[in-house]
């Protein structure tokens, strides 16, 4: 697939390297002139004609970024990896929750695109080919469009993940706080290579 990734932080770079390893044609849409040795371009140019777009920008910038790209993103599947983190109190908190979520705000900002919340409940190092000793971890996803979720689920399945589809984009209200559980476990035990797994009978 031709994949455009918005944001050149740790997530954008990890996804770019991992998905390129799987043979995808990946470019990062960024405000930077260069990002290590990775292919980059202007955000609008990178998302135009892409088969799949990842939104991997700072949570507080997410709505502004997609709003500015509403036209080129129309009709596209947008994987929202963001979390609404607020560090102003000296510890990570969420700036939206309970009755709304960043995933829903992003979907409302680009109503002609198909937003799938995914990849937000794990650290960037495990996003592609987690390869954990106990087997594939579970990626919890949500989104309003079944075809879009199939595209994202197929990619996840091909890159080492079990997929747990929880429903529409409003499940972001529950997926976004899960990132804090992931962070708290890491901070408490000094490990950053852990992931959630759903066990079924
Ligand atoms: N780090 C993780 O392991 C992890 C795991 C799961 C989810 N997440 C979530 O995924 C997203 C990306 O996280 P990250 O750790 O890679 O980096 P980040 O520090 O949250 O920022 C990522 C990128 O956002 C872009 N950005 C920042 N401010 C912006 C602005 N005002 N306008 C437009 N773009 C802006 C920048 O990209 P350019 O300069 O290239 O434009 C920056 O490199 C976040 O929402 C985070 O909460 C992170």
């Amino acid at each position: 697939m031709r994949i455009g990734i918005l944001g050149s932080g740790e997530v954008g770079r990890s996804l770019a390297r991992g998905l390129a390893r799987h043979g995808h044609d990946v470019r990062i849409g960024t405000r930077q002139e260069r990002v290590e040795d990775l292919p980059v371009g202007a955000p609008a140019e990178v998302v135009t004609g892409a088969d799949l777009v990842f939104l991997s920008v700072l949570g507080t910038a997410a709505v502004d970024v997609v709003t500015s790209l509403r036209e080129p993103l129309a009709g596209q599947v947008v994987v929202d990896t963001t979390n609404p983190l607020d560090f102003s109190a000296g510890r990570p908190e969420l700036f939206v929750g309970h009755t709304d979520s960043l995933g829903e705000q992003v979907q409302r900002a680009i109503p002609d695109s198909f937003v799938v919340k995914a990849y937000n409940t794990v650290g960037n190092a495990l996003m592609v080919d987690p390869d954990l000793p106990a087997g594939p971890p579970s990626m919890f996803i949500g989104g309003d469009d079944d075809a879009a979720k199939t595209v994202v689920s197929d990619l996840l399945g091909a890159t080492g993940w079990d997929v747990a589809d929880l429903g529409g984009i409003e499940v972001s209200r529950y997926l976004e706080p899960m990132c804090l559980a992931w962070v708290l476990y890491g901070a408490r035990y000094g490990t950053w290579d852990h992931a959630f797994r759903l066990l079924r009978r």
Side-chain angles (χ1 to χ4, degrees), residues 45-92:
E45 178 203 327
V46 163
V47 303
T48 301
D51 302 306
L52 187 63
V53 173
F54 279 84
L55 176 64
S56 301
V57 299
L58 188 70
T60 49
V63 169
D64 284 350
V65 168
V66 293
T67 300
S68 72
L69 296 170
R70 180 173 169 171
E71 245 176 71
L73 287 174
Q76 289 185 319
V77 179
V78 177
V79 186
D80 174 20
T81 77
T82 65
N83 281 310
L85 293 176
D86 171 10
F87 290 95
S88 58
R91 59 183 183 279

Side-chain angles (χ1 to χ4, degrees), residues 16-30:
R17 290 195 193 289
L19 296 173
R21 217 168 46 231
H22 280 263
H24 297 290
D25 174 8
V26 187
R27 271 206 306 164
I28 296 183
T30 174

Side-chain angles (χ1 to χ4, degrees), residues 5-14 28-32 35 43 55-62 64-65 80-85 87 102 117-127 179 182-183:
I5 298 176
L6 296 168
S8 65
E10 289 187 327
V11 172
R13 285 179 279 126
S14 291
I28 296 183
T30 174
R31 303 166 303 171
Q32 313 303 321
V35 177
L55 176 64
S56 301
V57 299
L58 188 70
T60 49
D64 284 350
V65 168
D80 174 20
T81 77
T82 65
N83 281 310
L85 293 176
F87 290 95
L102 189 51
K117 191 85 192 182
Y119 290 87
N120 74 302
T121 57
V122 70
N124 67 88
L126 295 186
M127 286 180 175
C179 96
W182 185 90
V183 167

